[in-house]
Amino acid sequence: ELTLNLIMIPYLMRTQNWEINVPTGRYKIYAEGATWFVSEKYIIACDSVKMFIESQYFDFFTRNMVPLQHYWPISTTNMCEDIKFAVNWGNSHQDKAQQIGKGGTDYIIQNLKIKYVYDYLLLHLTIICLIFGVYII
């Protein structure tokens, strides 16, 4: 099955000993904003601990992600304290932090296959058609 190429880079780097200059770091923070800056899927796929600031919207592929398994949750009410705690915890528990980073990458590799994207699109097109009384097979 096809998987989006940029998402495969960390996986290929680990399994095939590829040496590619990919932006990495111990921590990545994703904050939803009024404008588009960087895609959430690329942050998840970087093998770093992902910190997600609570959002009221979710991409179709992030709904099943598990906090502390695939990412570190950050509250909107205590952002600074939550980020400081997460960084201190990650620095003190580097093996567990690496597992969270790898868990997010593995989640994206497994769940963002083009087949699942097409299934998601077909589901929503079917729902829209039913709303407007158009039946598709």
Side-chain angles (χ1 to χ4, degrees), residues 14 25-28 43-52 65-73 85-87 89-91 93-108:
R14 283 198 310 259
R26 190 177 293 176
Y27 307 101
K28 301 272 187 220
I43 288 178
I44 299 169
C46 280
D47 271 354
S48 303
V49 175
K50 279 66 72 176
M51 296 183 212
F52 286 169
M65 291 181 67
V66 179
L68 304 179
Q69 183 178 341
H70 302 124
Y71 70 96
W72 191 284
F85 179 82
V87 170
W89 182 89
N91 289 338
H93 304 87
Q94 290 185 14
D95 290 340
K96 291 179 183 176
Q98 284 179 334
Q99 287 176 351
I100 293 172
K102 186 179 178 308
T105 301
D106 292 343
Y107 176 88
I108 287 295

Side-chain angles (χ1 to χ4, degrees), residues 10-124:
Y11 170 76
L12 293 171
M13 288 174 64
R14 283 198 310 259
T15 59
Q16 305 298 319
N17 295 322
W18 283 18
E19 297 205 15
I20 302 172
N21 188 13
V22 175
T24 59
R26 190 177 293 176
Y27 307 101
K28 301 272 187 220
I29 299 175
Y30 180 77
E32 191 173 79
T35 61
W36 181 87
F37 178 67
V38 67
S39 181
E40 189 175 15
K41 62 186 166 285
Y42 300 122
I43 288 178
I44 299 169
C46 280
D47 271 354
S48 303
V49 175
K50 279 66 72 176
M51 296 183 212
F52 286 169
I53 297 173
E54 290 175 351
S55 172
Q56 62 185 123
Y57 305 106
F58 296 93
D59 284 325
F60 70 94
F61 57 88
T62 60
R63 292 180 183 172
N64 294 325
M65 291 181 67
V66 179
L68 304 179
Q69 183 178 341
H70 302 124
Y71 70 96
W72 191 284
I74 302 295
S75 167
T76 55
T77 56
N78 296 316
M79 274 191 272
C80 293
E81 294 85 2
D82 284 359
I83 291 170
K84 182 179 179 185
F85 179 82
V87 170
N88 288 336
W89 182 89
N91 289 338
S92 299
H93 304 87
Q94 290 185 14
D95 290 340
K96 291 179 183 176
Q98 284 179 334
Q99 287 176 351
I100 293 172
K102 186 179 178 308
T105 301
D106 292 343
Y107 176 88
I108 287 295
I109 290 169
Q110 293 302 314
N111 293 290
L112 200 55
K113 295 183 178 177
I114 200 70
K115 176 195 180 314
Y116 300 136
V117 174
Y118 287 147
D119 289 348
Y120 176 80
L121 292 173
L122 179 61
L123 169 69
H124 285 279

